[in-house]
Amino acid sequence: MCYGRLGLKTHEIEDSCICEITAMLNGWRDRFYDYQDLMILYSALPIYQVNCKHPPKYEDFIKNRPGSKDLLDDLSIEELKWLAEEE
């Protein structure tokens, strides 16, 4: 995740402590979820509302979001893998 998502170089990872990397990952996750929310609210929901008799609600889109916890430390291995695979 450090090389891919955060774009850190090897010397930057070596010079950082775990709490700094965790803070960077939490910030990335927050920005990622903000971007998802933007796409849901201004792209997906209007399309569903126009084309469906019973459109889904915002909560339906985010109910399975693995990042509903505060810290990445609380995430399971599967949730961390999901975060690492998403772009």
Side-chain angles (χ1 to χ4, degrees), residues 46-62:
I47 291 171
Y48 276 111
Q49 289 172 349
V50 169
N51 296 318
C52 295
K53 290 183 181 179
H54 303 289
K57 297 178 184 173
Y58 171 75
E59 292 79 19
D60 297 332
F61 284 99
I62 64 166

Side-chain angles (χ1 to χ4, degrees), residues 23-41:
M24 286 186 260
L25 289 171
N26 285 334
W28 174 84
R29 186 194 64 206
D30 292 341
R31 288 188 304 276
F32 179 74
Y33 287 156
D34 288 344
Y35 176 74
Q36 273 188 341
D37 292 341
L38 182 70
M39 292 297 117
I40 290 169
L41 292 172

Side-chain angles (χ1 to χ4, degrees), residues 3 9 26 29 36 44 57 66 75 77 81 83-85:
Y3 289 116
K9 296 174 179 62
N26 285 334
R29 186 194 64 206
Q36 273 188 341
K57 297 178 184 173
L75 297 177
I77 296 297
K81 286 180 183 177
L83 281 175
E85 292 172 0

Side-chain angles (χ1 to χ4, degrees), residues 29 33 62-71 75 79:
R29 186 194 64 206
Y33 287 156
I62 64 166
K63 67 181 174 185
N64 294 325
R65 185 181 277 180
S68 59
K69 300 169 185 147
D70 290 333
L71 297 173
L75 297 177
E79 293 169 337

